[in-house]
Amino acid sequence: MQSLLTCPTTPFLLPPSLHNLHSQTLLQLQSNHIAQTKLKPIPQNEIHARTRLFNLYLRMYVNAGAMQEARKLFDEMPERSLVSWTIVMSGYARHGPASEVLMMFWDMLCGSGGGLLRPDSFVFAVVLRACGMVECLSYGRGVHGLVVKQSSVVDSFVENALVSMYGSCGALEDAAVVFGGIDKPDLVGWSSILSGYVKNGLEEEGLRIFCDMVSGGIEPDAFAFSMVLGACTNLECWDFGTQAHCYIIKMGFDSCLYLENSLMDFYAKCGDLEGMRRVFSHMSEKNLVSWNTFINGYVHNFHYLEALRIFQILMEEVSQCDDFSLLSILKAVSGLGHLDHGKEIHGYILRAGIETNRYVVSSLLDMYIGCIDHESLYPRVEVPLKLLNYLEGGGYDEFIMTSLLKWCSLESSLETAKRVFTRVEQPDTAPWSALISGHSWNGCFAEALKLFRKMQFDGIKANEFTFTSVILACLALENLRKGKELHCKILRSGYESNFSVVNTLINLYSELWQHKQALKLCSMIPDSEISWNFLIRACLGAEDYEIIHKLLWRIQVSHGNLDPVSACDIFASCSSPVLLNVGTQAHAYMTKRGLISHPTISNSLIQMYSACGKFDEAVQAFNLMPEKDTCSWTSILSARVEHGHPSEALNLISQMRWKNKPADQSTFRSVLNACAQMGLVDEAFRLFFSMKEVYGIEPLEEHYSCMVEVLGRAGMFEEVLDFINGVPTFKLGPLIWRTLLSSSRIHGNMKVAQYAAEKLLELEPSDFSANLLLEQVLLTLGEWDNALKLKTKTKSMRASSSWIEIRNRIYEFASDENPAKEVSAKLAEIEGKMEELGYVADKNHLLHNAEEEEYDGVGLHHTEMKALAFGLISLPHGMPVRVVKNVRMCGDCHSACKFMSTFLERELVVKDPYSFHHFRDGKCSCRDTW
């Protein structure tokens, strides 16, 4: 890029012609005034003519902005009329200070300088306007009381001034009451109430007022349009703003420079840079505000290079800039890290003589800080130090100090930060906030809390940056009590609706397992401003999946932001066959948002569809991935094993080797499970030993468990017990014994089943399945007394349940509840059909039946059968029926489902804690080994 500052300029000064005219006018007024005061005393009958002459000079002084001379002349007047008071008070209201209007009005009422005067409507209007300027509500209410007593002065001037005063003072209810009492409000009245709502942050209500105003036949002026554009800018309401733009053109205000600048700002804040460019290119006249708004629009939207280009054109065509231009362009330079351009701008600042402007110097320091390579071993810090030396002896204000403290914090130079801080006389909020934030950034969380307490003791009010830093310190220290205390302080300080503060509080409560408290905070700020990521992660940790799905709906409606991690969490919350519908909706939404292409999200999508029993969709998600990492391969490999495709899983591991995709612990778990399903004992041992020797992966308990399953499924129980004896003690956990128990039940080996169940109950005495299985084993072995003791124990344990989703609603069927009549009728119908086709219940499933009560029927009494029957009633013909069960599927039900799949003409899917069961054409995907 070429030099940004090709044209040298001088600081902005008042044009000589205007300055001379101003001086000549004052000299003429003063000479006339002196000449008049040297005249002989005027007779009483000419005093009124003299007062009119004085009023003429008063008006000339006021119009010239010379309030000091006007006040001096006013004080020397022998007699002051109501017009005299009005001229000077209106001058103060126009040129300031507005507080002088209130004092003069009090003097006028008290009869200072002559007889009592009765204010007219214009005086009341001026005074009320001044009350609004200084936001003195109590004084304004007093003036309102005088107006009520002197009802004859009430006209449109006073009514409109009352509305404006109450609106400026934040008393919108009073403003609305006054406005509602106006018979036929004019443009000024409508604009006053509109301005009151917009300036007090109620932009949506302000836009409704504007619509009422237009529908009532009142044509807006430039001021009303500026309020509307301001409201649309704050709300980022592009639709309403563009309609307002069309109305502005229709009304002929499109050449109003102030509105054109407001339109550019509106389009920039809404992210419509093309709209901003269009307004700028069609402007017949551009002032420095126009250029600044144009540049800042690009900076606001992070188009820093374009901002630099426009700034260069500004310096070439206009040859001047101001502090606002410099603040924006320094931010752009900082964002790009272009230190050379920053130094060039620094040189211009020195040549232009504006290096004493505290805002400019503070931004200059921020620019240097932003351009420092803090990751480097030798960061370029010489320029901030030179600035520090340059300012030596000149005194630091809080803005410069804040930048210096930020720099010290980023450099982890906390002692330097404290020394800089001590140089601030009576430090205000900004330096305190920078010092506290610096300590939080550098991990000194306890010290940050101490500094915050001292700040409070010194009576300094915290701002949003202070609160967010201290909240994060509480989070880092996991100090929930301090966090709640801080929350109370935030409520008392009026920051309960601040977006940044509320989101940081949501983060605090979410991370500290208080997700319900975090959810309550969502009502404090608009949905579009909530950081949903913290909430979703907290709800996932609490397994509150229903809340996550409600949050997803709110995110869709509010167009909220999601990061890839939260998208993965949402898919994880849908990982159940009964939540498939929610999962597919989430998939559609993520696709629309363009998030699916992210590898991490695609991996979660594979896992979700696999967990929901939609194996084909999982494969499709894998095939559509443009880039596949190790996690992608492992996810689809695991899906193939889980859904009964072990040979395909082993083929995938070969493809991974060919594509140089490294295997991880999850990969080996899936491959070993595939070997177990196929009975490949030797291959399993080869892979198991290669984990550490070839891949350098230390086997975990789950890998030892896989080897137990490999040997157990092969019926090699002597070998499996020898293998278990060789497992390191610290890796010999419940999973291994639960796996051995599963293998022994497949083969009906009672002795091994008893041994495994007892070992499991030593580690987990309340395991429901192990207790029931051990009870059945003891009964089989003839140990009646011990079996009776266990039966008494298991009666107090939970009942089994199954779930099915129908049209976005989940239905539960518990073992201790009777089904509805229609479900019972459907079960009877199926039983009759099965008996007609010659089905005979298989009674060789003693251990497989141990997790639910016995029953003398064809196996249609358990909870999954009730859920399947309800699905057959409720779902369209041919649609798969998907059921989730919380205990292992019994052998009777398994045999019944295989037989049912031969005549129901639809797939039956049952997911229990141990396996997926896809029943098609009389077969199950588990190959009867679950």
Side-chain angles (χ1 to χ4, degrees):
M1 182 176 287
Q2 299 177 351
S3 173
L4 298 174
L5 305 165
T6 55
C7 300
T9 62
T10 56
F12 176 77
L13 298 172
L14 193 68
S17 58
L18 181 59
H19 184 274
N20 293 338
L21 178 63
H22 180 73
S23 301
Q24 292 169 6
T25 303
L26 289 182
L27 288 173
Q28 183 64 41
L29 287 171
Q30 289 170 352
S31 61
N32 291 344
H33 176 201
I34 293 171
Q36 289 294 334
T37 55
K38 290 182 179 178
L39 296 175
K40 295 179 180 180
I42 300 176
Q44 185 64 35
N45 59 355
E46 298 181 14
I47 193 69
H48 295 300
R50 179 71 180 272
T51 300
R52 285 196 297 272
L53 183 60
F54 270 94
N55 289 343
L56 175 63
Y57 288 127
L58 278 177
R59 187 170 285 109
M60 294 176 68
Y61 277 126
V62 167
N63 289 338
M67 290 306 302
Q68 187 174 357
E69 288 80 0
R71 185 57 182 267
K72 183 178 180 182
L73 176 60
F74 177 81
D75 291 340
E76 294 175 356
M77 289 178 66
E79 180 176 309
R80 304 169 189 138
S81 65
L82 182 61
V83 175
S84 310
W85 288 89
T86 304
I87 292 171
V88 180
M89 285 192 291
S90 62
Y92 279 123
R94 193 193 320 170
H95 303 292
S99 56
E100 285 291 330
V101 178
L102 308 187
M103 290 186 284
M104 285 191 68
F105 182 67
W106 179 256
D107 291 342
M108 186 183 78
L109 292 178
C110 294
S112 177
L116 292 174
L117 295 173
R118 190 181 184 87
D120 59 8
S121 62
F122 188 78
V123 170
F124 278 122
V126 170
V127 176
L128 289 168
R129 178 185 171 194
C131 290
M133 289 178 177
V134 298
E135 297 182 6
C136 187
L137 182 60
S138 58
Y139 198 110
R141 290 190 192 279
V143 176
H144 190 179
L146 293 176
V147 169
V148 172
K149 291 179 180 179
Q150 194 174 330
S151 58
S152 60
V153 301
V154 177
D155 58 12
S156 61
F157 285 105
V158 175
E159 289 173 331
N160 294 337
L162 280 168
V163 174
S164 178
M165 183 273 294
Y166 281 123
S168 299
C169 294
L172 293 179
E173 291 185 3
D174 295 318
V177 170
V178 175
F179 181 77
I182 301 176
D183 185 25
K184 292 183 179 180
D186 57 12
L187 174 60
V188 177
W190 280 102
S191 299
S192 298
I193 191 68
L194 169 63
S195 174
Y197 276 95
V198 172
K199 287 181 178 179
N200 284 280
L202 298 176
E203 290 90 352
E204 292 184 3
E205 183 63 28
L207 295 180
R208 282 193 286 269
I209 289 172
F210 177 76
C211 293
D212 293 342
M213 166 184 164
V214 173
S215 61
I218 304 296
E219 292 188 350
D221 61 1
F223 176 76
F225 278 125
S226 70
M227 288 293 104
V228 171
L229 290 176
C232 293
T233 301
N234 293 338
L235 294 172
E236 297 184 9
C237 185
W238 186 87
D239 291 339
F240 200 106
T242 52
Q243 293 178 41
H245 188 182
C246 295
Y247 198 13
I248 288 170
I249 295 172
K250 180 180 178 181
M251 294 290 295
F253 288 107
D254 52 315
S255 59
C256 174
L257 182 59
Y258 175 73
L259 286 182
E260 288 176 318
N261 292 337
S262 298
L263 280 166
M264 281 199 297
D265 186 51
F266 156 70
Y267 281 119
K269 295 297 171 53
C270 290
D272 185 358
L273 295 179
E274 181 58 35
M276 180 186 72
R277 280 190 291 266
R278 229 174 9 249
V279 174
F280 184 79
S281 62
H282 286 89
M283 292 175 71
S284 57
E285 177 188 358
K286 300 180 181 74
N287 60 8
L288 195 52
V289 175
S290 310
W291 286 93
N292 289 343
T293 305
F294 196 41
I295 293 170
N296 190 60
Y298 283 112
V299 174
H300 178 77
N301 288 279
F302 310 107
H303 289 240
Y304 299 131
L305 281 174
E306 188 66 14
L308 289 174
R309 188 184 71 82
I310 301 299
F311 180 73
Q312 182 181 351
I313 296 174
L314 168 66
M315 299 309 297
E316 290 174 350
E317 295 186 2
V318 183
S319 302
Q320 75 172 27
C321 64
D322 60 8
D323 51 350
F324 295 103
S325 319
L326 294 169
L327 297 182
S328 294
I329 208 61
L330 284 171
K331 185 176 180 180
V333 171
S334 178
L336 291 169
H338 285 186
L339 187 58
D340 291 338
H341 284 144
K343 288 182 176 179
E344 192 176 353
I345 295 171
H346 189 181
Y348 168 77
I349 290 171
L350 294 174
R351 292 194 303 273
I354 52 179
E355 70 277 7
T356 58
N357 184 301
R358 61 180 182 174
Y359 301 106
V360 173
V361 174
S362 179
S363 296
L364 192 60
L365 285 169
D366 283 338
M367 181 275 297
Y368 278 114
I369 292 167
C371 290
I372 291 173
D373 181 9
H374 297 281
E375 301 298 325
S376 171
L377 293 175
Y378 305 100
R380 302 172 67 181
V381 298
E382 70 277 3
V383 177
L385 291 175
K386 287 181 180 179
L387 276 176
L388 181 62
N389 294 331
Y390 172 77
L391 294 168
E392 199 67 50
Y396 302 123
D397 62 21
E398 64 179 41
F399 297 97
I400 296 172
M401 276 297 178
T402 302
S403 298
L404 288 172
L405 289 170
K406 178 182 176 183
W407 168 64
C408 293
S409 299
L410 289 173
E411 292 298 309
S412 301
S413 181
L414 296 181
E415 291 302 319
T416 304
K418 289 179 180 178
R419 285 199 300 271
V420 171
F421 182 78
T422 57
R423 299 185 60 178
V424 184
E425 295 183 6
Q426 297 181 342
D428 206 343
T429 302
W432 271 108
S433 182
L435 187 64
I436 292 170
S437 300
H439 281 77
S440 287
W441 290 338
N442 286 279
C444 301
F445 305 115
E447 183 65 21
L449 293 180
K450 290 180 181 178
L451 287 169
F452 179 71
R453 283 196 296 271
K454 189 176 187 309
M455 176 184 177
Q456 300 298 297
F457 289 147
D458 289 352
I460 307 300
K461 292 183 178 179
N463 61 15
E464 63 176 291
F465 303 105
T466 322
F467 282 129
T468 52
S469 298
V470 180
I471 294 170
L472 291 175
C474 293
L475 174 57
L477 296 172
E478 297 185 359
N479 194 330
L480 182 61
R481 184 177 65 83
K482 288 289 184 184
K484 289 183 176 180
E485 291 176 359
L486 187 61
H487 189 178
C488 294
K489 176 67 178 177
I490 289 167
L491 294 175
R492 292 195 298 269
S493 301
Y495 279 87
E496 71 277 4
S497 58
N498 181 278
F499 300 163
S500 179
V501 172
V502 172
N503 277 318
T504 312
L505 277 173
I506 289 174
N507 185 14
L508 171 75
Y509 286 120
S510 299
E511 292 290 331
L512 298 184
W513 306 103
Q514 301 284 321
H515 76 285
K516 291 185 178 179
Q517 180 63 40
L519 287 167
K520 292 178 182 178
L521 292 170
C522 292
S523 62
M524 309 302 293
I525 58 178
D527 281 2
S528 58
E529 300 295 337
I530 295 173
S531 294
W532 300 103
N533 308 319
F534 304 130
L535 279 170
I536 292 170
R537 174 50 55 92
C539 292
L540 185 67
E543 298 184 358
D544 198 341
Y545 304 139
E546 183 179 357
I547 292 296
I548 294 178
H549 303 152
K550 289 180 179 178
L551 293 179
L552 177 61
W553 180 83
R554 290 176 64 178
I555 292 169
Q556 294 177 24
V557 172
S558 64
H559 306 288
N561 294 320
L562 280 176
D563 63 12
V565 175
S566 296
C568 294
D569 291 340
I570 290 172
F571 285 139
S573 73
C574 302
S575 297
S576 171
V578 296
L579 296 173
L580 174 62
N581 193 32
V582 180
T584 54
Q585 292 176 24
H587 183 189
Y589 176 67
M590 302 300 176
T591 303
K592 183 179 179 182
R593 293 288 300 272
L595 292 170
I596 294 298
S597 59
H598 195 283
T600 304
I601 298 178
S602 295
N603 295 338
S604 298
L605 189 62
I606 295 170
Q607 294 162 9
M608 181 202 76
Y609 276 125
S610 177
C612 289
K614 298 284 285 184
F615 174 70
D616 292 340
E617 283 75 4
V619 173
Q620 183 181 19
F622 175 78
N623 293 335
L624 291 175
M625 292 180 68
E627 294 184 10
K628 303 175 179 69
D629 57 15
T630 297
C631 184
S632 312
W633 287 91
T634 301
S635 298
I636 194 62
L637 197 153
S638 175
R640 291 189 183 279
V641 174
E642 191 173 28
H643 292 278
H645 302 278
S647 60
E648 296 176 10
L650 293 178
N651 290 333
L652 282 177
I653 193 68
S654 300
Q655 293 182 43
M656 288 182 66
R657 293 195 197 101
W658 181 69
K659 294 179 179 292
N660 294 321
K661 297 294 182 182
D664 59 12
Q665 292 172 334
S666 298
T667 311
F668 277 101
R669 182 192 62 215
S670 297
V671 173
L672 291 174
N673 281 331
C675 291
Q677 290 183 15
M678 298 182 69
L680 302 176
V681 177
D682 293 339
E683 178 66 10
F685 271 97
R686 187 188 67 78
L687 289 167
F688 179 77
F689 289 126
S690 71
M691 283 183 65
K692 189 171 184 179
E693 296 174 1
V694 179
Y695 295 92
I697 299 174
E698 185 68 31
L700 303 175
E701 180 188 352
E702 58 185 335
H703 299 107
Y704 286 102
S705 175
C706 289
M707 293 307 298
V708 170
E709 184 172 9
V710 169
L711 294 168
R713 285 203 181 203
M716 303 169 65
F717 290 105
E718 290 185 11
E719 291 83 353
V720 78
L721 292 174
D722 289 339
F723 179 82
I724 290 174
N725 290 333
V727 175
T729 304
F730 64 93
K731 295 182 180 178
L732 194 59
L735 181 60
I736 289 177
W737 298 115
R738 193 173 286 115
T739 303
L740 180 59
L741 181 57
S742 174
S743 300
S744 61
R745 70 187 289 162
I746 292 173
H747 290 274
N749 191 320
M750 300 299 176
K751 287 293 184 181
V752 175
Q754 180 182 4
Y755 176 69
E758 290 172 346
K759 286 291 186 180
L760 178 57
L761 290 174
E762 287 178 9
L763 298 173
E764 295 184 351
S766 60
D767 187 283
F768 179 61
S769 300
N771 277 282
L772 285 174
L773 283 168
L774 184 56
E775 178 192 338
Q776 292 296 320
V777 170
L778 293 173
L779 286 172
T780 304
L781 295 174
E783 298 183 22
W784 306 102
D785 293 339
N786 292 332
L788 183 60
K789 292 178 182 178
L790 276 176
K791 189 171 187 67
T792 304
K793 178 181 178 182
T794 55
K795 281 185 177 180
S796 61
M797 294 185 175
R798 62 183 174 86
S800 60
S801 291
S802 293
W803 296 266
I804 186 171
E805 182 265 330
I806 306 291
R807 288 183 285 278
N808 293 326
R809 182 178 175 185
I810 297 175
Y811 296 85
E812 179 179 3
F813 294 86
S815 60
D816 56 354
E817 294 179 358
N818 294 322
K821 290 183 179 180
E822 58 180 356
V823 173
S824 297
K826 188 65 176 178
L827 287 172
E829 176 189 332
I830 295 172
E831 272 192 70
K833 181 68 173 178
M834 292 173 69
E835 290 177 358
E836 179 185 334
L837 294 174
Y839 176 75
V840 178
D842 188 351
K843 295 299 182 180
N844 296 319
H845 296 293
L846 177 62
L847 290 181
H848 269 121
N849 296 348
E851 295 192 20
E852 291 194 79
E853 70 278 7
E854 292 298 316
Y855 180 75
D856 295 327
V858 298
L860 304 189
H861 58 290
H862 285 163
T863 58
E864 68 268 39
M865 307 308 294
K866 300 171 187 175
L868 285 169
F870 184 66
L872 293 171
I873 295 169
S874 307
L875 295 172
H877 179 73
M879 179 178 287
V881 181
R882 304 176 190 279
V883 172
V884 175
K885 183 177 175 67
N886 68 343
V887 297
R888 190 189 301 265
M889 192 177 193
C890 77
D892 290 340
C893 291
H894 194 269
S895 297
C897 284
K898 285 198 299 182
F899 192 84
M900 288 162 58
S901 68
T902 62
F903 64 85
L904 287 177
E905 298 181 353
R906 67 169 88 200
E907 181 184 12
L908 306 178
V909 181
V910 179
K911 172 71 170 69
D912 68 18
Y914 299 91
S915 182
F916 257 108
H917 303 274
H918 294 265
F919 298 100
R920 298 188 188 94
D921 303 323
K923 297 179 182 179
C924 179
S925 60
C926 76
R927 295 179 174 84
D928 301 338
T929 55
W930 75 104

